[in-house]
Amino acid sequence: MTDDLSWFDTEDGRLAYRELGTGHPLVLLHGGFLDHHMWDGQIPVLASRYRVIAPDARGHGASANARRPFRHTDDLAALLRHLDVGPAVLAGVSMGASTAVDTALEHPDLVRALVVTGAGTSEPEFTDPWTVEALGAATAAMAAGDLEGAIDAFALFAAGPYRTLDDVDPEVLRRVREMARRTMSKHTADEGNLLIPVPETWARAARITAPLLAVNGDLDSPDHIGMAERLAGLVAHGGTATVEGAAHYPSLERPDAYNRILLDFLHRQD
């Protein structure tokens, strides 16, 4: 896919985004350590009907690293206001889903509807042993400056707790590893965490009035599925859908199935 990036200049560096198509705005928010390329299987399909905007979050992909405290939701809000976009449908996976929910809480005027995958709010609660172990391995490798070890541990989320990496399409793994390497290599082990948390997200989630759909892979971890479905049960207008044969990244593993579910939801919002 041609990588025709645009740039948004902020007081703390440039943020990259892809924009394609016309119509109602649809914002695609990638997972942690990934970038807008995770949506390569969605952008051409969706841009035939919608104005699609797919940013690289700060510190990810082609976007600048943070040099001062920041919140992903504020970066997104600034970008959308710069583009005179809103309210928009926000569709996010993992970290991107958390950013979408934060934006519905902090900047509700910019949000028309939400699609979340593999996450609830930006205050995750991990208790499942597989998830805790995988996250711990990735965190330890990054803290030790072991880039390859961190990428290997992170790739486990593409398989989920019920499969091995050998069970995952090699092209999906290649893309996940490539994106993770691009982002992780931008950072150092001694780098401080400048991300400011959004407070009381679970307590405030019931106030979200925008329609919300939780779309999960059936092979994702119980924690990730559980948080997304918990969120769908808290909001006023929530629903759930399942992509079979996929783990944490159903839009990567089963793009056709994910696209059908997303397009059906979008059609109901038009």
Side-chain angles (χ1 to χ4, degrees), residues 36-146:
H36 72 278
H37 284 291
M38 79 165 293
W39 299 108
D40 285 354
Q42 283 70 48
I43 292 174
V45 175
L46 298 170
S48 65
R49 308 185 193 188
Y50 299 94
R51 180 185 179 185
V52 179
I53 300 161
D56 282 354
R58 188 176 297 281
H60 293 68
S63 288
N65 289 358
R67 294 171 298 181
R68 60 180 70 174
F70 77 102
R71 303 193 307 178
H72 288 305
T73 180
D74 296 336
D75 280 343
L76 177 60
L79 172 63
L80 297 184
R81 291 185 173 119
H82 168 74
L83 296 174
D84 195 24
V85 169
V89 177
L90 309 184
V93 173
S94 197
M95 183 190 79
S98 299
T99 300
V101 175
D102 282 351
T103 304
L105 294 172
E106 298 290 301
H107 307 280
D109 59 304
L110 296 175
V111 179
R112 189 158 65 95
L114 297 161
V115 180
V116 300
T117 297
T121 80
S122 57
E123 296 177 295
E125 299 170 358
F126 297 115
T127 59
D128 178 72
W130 181 89
T131 310
V132 172
E133 182 177 347
L135 285 170
T139 301
M142 285 186 284
D146 178 5

Side-chain angles (χ1 to χ4, degrees), residues 205-212 231-239:
R207 303 177 196 170
I208 294 174
T209 57
L212 181 146
L231 178 67
L234 283 174
V235 302
H237 306 287

Side-chain angles (χ1 to χ4, degrees), residues 141 145-153 177 181:
D146 178 5
L147 176 61
E148 294 307 315
I151 293 169
D152 288 344
R177 289 178 181 273
R181 177 172 284 104

Side-chain angles (χ1 to χ4, degrees), residues 152-240:
D152 288 344
F154 179 74
L156 293 173
F157 288 99
Y162 311 111
R163 301 183 296 179
T164 70
L165 292 176
D166 291 337
D167 298 319
V168 182
D169 183 339
E171 177 61 15
V172 170
L173 283 179
R174 184 196 67 78
R175 291 176 62 193
V176 168
R177 289 178 181 273
E178 183 179 86
M179 287 184 281
R181 177 172 284 104
R182 197 155 45 229
T183 289
M184 289 180 179
S185 63
K186 290 159 58 81
H187 300 277
T188 59
D190 60 351
E191 188 176 303
N193 182 10
L194 296 173
L195 182 64
I196 301 171
V198 175
E200 299 180 345
T201 53
W202 283 111
R204 298 160 61 201
R207 303 177 196 170
I208 294 174
T209 57
L212 181 146
L213 180 66
V215 183
N216 293 303
D218 66 334
L219 301 177
D220 203 357
S221 79
D223 280 339
H224 289 107
I225 295 172
M227 287 186 290
E229 294 190 345
R230 174 186 171 191
L231 178 67
L234 283 174
V235 302
H237 306 287
T240 64

